[in-house]
Amino acid sequence: MTKNSMTSEELILKRLDSIESMLKSQKEVLTVKECAIYLDVSEDRVRHLLHDAELPFYKSGRKTLISRKDVELWQTRERFPSKYETLERATTYIATQRKTR
């Protein structure tokens, strides 16, 4: 069934599932499925990140658990400075280099 041919009830249920998933992702410890929903990627992608040791995780029996804080840190690991931050760094560098010469 395509999105256009869904009934109102089916659309509401799908939306409720989405909301429920988002609320579950507010937990401190996530399952692979919850982590995938939180990152908006497939479960396979999360498993690849875990297998490649790009994302830290815990094991509890057969369950794989991922700290939401670790996911947030992983998401923000590659920050690019704004042009103002770059200009400030350049200005500081130039000023300190003139003093040392």
Side-chain angles (χ1 to χ4, degrees), residues 62-76:
R62 294 186 59 152
K63 280 189 174 183
T64 301
L65 303 172
I66 306 142
S67 164
R68 187 169 50 91
K69 287 181 184 177
D70 287 339
V71 174
E72 290 169 356
L73 287 171
W74 177 80
Q75 281 182 306
T76 58

Side-chain angles (χ1 to χ4, degrees), residues 23-40:
L23 289 173
K24 282 183 181 178
S25 72
Q26 297 304 310
K27 298 179 354 183
E28 291 299 315
V29 179
L30 308 172
T31 64
V32 170
K33 182 177 183 176
E34 292 166 341
C35 185
I37 292 167
Y38 183 73
L39 292 173
D40 194 25

Side-chain angles (χ1 to χ4, degrees), residues 39-76:
L39 292 173
D40 194 25
V41 297
S42 70
E43 289 181 46
D44 282 342
R45 177 67 182 133
V46 172
R47 286 190 189 93
H48 284 284
L49 291 170
L50 300 174
H51 181 266
D52 294 342
E54 290 188 38
L55 190 58
F57 64 96
Y58 304 90
K59 291 295 280 185
S60 177
R62 294 186 59 152
K63 280 189 174 183
T64 301
L65 303 172
I66 306 142
S67 164
R68 187 169 50 91
K69 287 181 184 177
D70 287 339
V71 174
E72 290 169 356
L73 287 171
W74 177 80
Q75 281 182 306
T76 58

Side-chain angles (χ1 to χ4, degrees), residues 8-25:
S8 296
E9 184 177 321
E10 289 170 325
L11 287 171
I12 291 169
L13 289 173
K14 186 175 180 177
R15 186 78 173 136
L16 283 173
D17 284 343
S18 176
I19 292 168
E20 183 180 46
S21 296
M22 288 187 332
L23 289 173
K24 282 183 181 178
S25 72

